[in-house]
């Protein structure tokens, strides 16, 4: 299974980055860097949500229904006429469901790292969230994931977790082991602390690694 970094570097990923950049009026390079950082964090949060039967069932229902991947088949229409309000509102709901009360903190952290203002980050994530759900829907279909019990494995595979084949890249290994560095289950708090140099920063942590990845 291709990982999320592979997908972002694919023709589809490049089309998404270019389209999101154009639709939000944001620099394409910064948009790409933001999405490379944000999408795995969102997926890791989804993986945590899907660790409960209720969460897994809810996510499975979404990707078998509205978010079955059809949005990816019409990117030209989606971006050509400007992303409509319905898609943006849908993205905002997805972010709220996945991140809960931490949504604003996530936006601030990502803005600080990417060099974008929080308003731009929020607009990009609102457009990107339905597309990410579409990716999950497509992957579920292609990998014959038809029940909630397979959702965690699907997400882990996309994140490049232990279930994936071959060597794990530095970025993928980092996502699995560093997002919750202190083991308290609060991914976003750890991300904020490490990126912004808080007390949870350990041996450079997320900030130094992502700095190397993005040249910041």
């Amino acid at each position: 299974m291709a990982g999320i970094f592979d997908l972002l570097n694919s023709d589809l990923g490049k089309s998404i980055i270019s389209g999101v950049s154009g639709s939000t009026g944001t620099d394409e390079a910064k948009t790409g860097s933001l999405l490379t950082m944000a999408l795995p964090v969102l997926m890791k949060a989804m993986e945590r949500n899907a660790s409960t039967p209720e969460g897994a069932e809810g996510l499975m229902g979404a990707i078998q229904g509205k978010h079955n991947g059809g949005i990816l088949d019409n990117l030209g229409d989606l971006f050509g006429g400007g992303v409509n309000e319905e898609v943006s509102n849908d993205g905002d709901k997805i972010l709220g469901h996945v991140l809960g009360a931490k949504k604003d903190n996530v936006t601030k952290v990502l803005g600080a790292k990417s060099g974008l203002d929080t308003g731009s980050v929020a607009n990009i994530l609102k457009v990107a969230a339905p597309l990410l759900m579409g990716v999950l829907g497509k992957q579920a279909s292609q990998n014959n994931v038809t029940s909630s019990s397979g959702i965690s494995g699907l997400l882990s595979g996309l994140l490049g977790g232990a279930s994936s084949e071959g060597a794990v890249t530095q970025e993928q290994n980092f996502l699995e082991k560093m997002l919750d560095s202190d083991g308290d289950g609060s991914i976003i708090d750890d991300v904020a602390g490490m990126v912004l140099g808080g007390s949870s920063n350990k041996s450079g942590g997320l900030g130094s690694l992502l700095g190397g990845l993005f040249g910041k």
Side-chain angles (χ1 to χ4, degrees):
M1 182 189 301
I4 188 63
F5 292 107
D6 298 317
L7 289 170
L8 283 168
N9 287 320
S10 69
D11 289 340
L12 173 61
K14 291 173 183 176
S15 295
I16 288 174
I17 291 170
S18 176
V20 172
S21 170
S23 65
T24 58
T26 312
D27 177 77
E28 188 167 327
K30 288 186 177 182
T31 300
S33 292
L34 173 64
L35 291 178
T36 303
M37 179 179 175
L39 295 188
V41 171
L42 292 177
M43 290 181 64
K44 192 65 179 174
M46 287 181 187
E47 187 180 40
R48 287 296 176 88
N49 290 346
S51 65
T52 66
E54 295 82 4
E57 184 177 348
L59 182 56
M60 193 69 222
I63 63 177
Q64 286 184 325
K66 182 176 183 179
H67 299 290
N68 62 6
I71 191 173
L72 302 176
D73 297 329
N74 300 292
L75 290 180
D77 291 339
L78 176 67
F79 295 129
V83 175
N84 62 44
E85 188 174 351
E86 181 182 354
V87 172
S88 182
N89 288 340
D90 188 32
D92 194 38
K93 291 177 182 177
I94 293 169
L95 293 171
H97 181 74
V98 172
L99 300 173
K102 297 182 184 293
K103 185 174 70 171
D104 289 343
N105 289 338
V106 174
T107 302
K108 291 176 183 177
V109 170
L110 293 174
K113 188 59 189 176
S114 65
L116 293 168
D117 63 82
T118 55
S120 295
V121 172
N123 287 335
I124 290 171
L125 294 184
K126 287 177 186 178
V127 176
L131 295 170
L132 177 58
M133 291 292 289
V135 168
L136 292 178
K138 285 280 191 184
Q139 289 291 313
S141 177
Q142 292 170 7
N143 290 278
N144 297 315
V145 177
T146 58
S147 66
S148 57
S149 61
I151 286 294
S152 292
L154 175 67
L155 288 165
S156 179
L158 284 167
L159 283 164
S163 62
S164 62
E165 298 178 0
V168 179
T169 65
Q170 182 186 32
E171 299 98 320
Q172 293 166 335
N173 187 53
F174 143 74
L175 283 167
E176 287 298 307
K177 296 183 178 179
M178 292 296 290
L179 282 175
D180 184 24
S181 63
D182 57 10
D184 66 353
S186 182
I187 298 169
I188 303 306
D189 288 342
D190 295 328
V191 171
M194 287 186 283
V195 170
L196 300 180
S199 59
S200 62
N201 193 336
K202 301 171 183 178
S203 301
L206 178 60
S208 62
L209 180 51
L210 286 177
L213 293 177
F214 303 149
K216 295 185 181 298

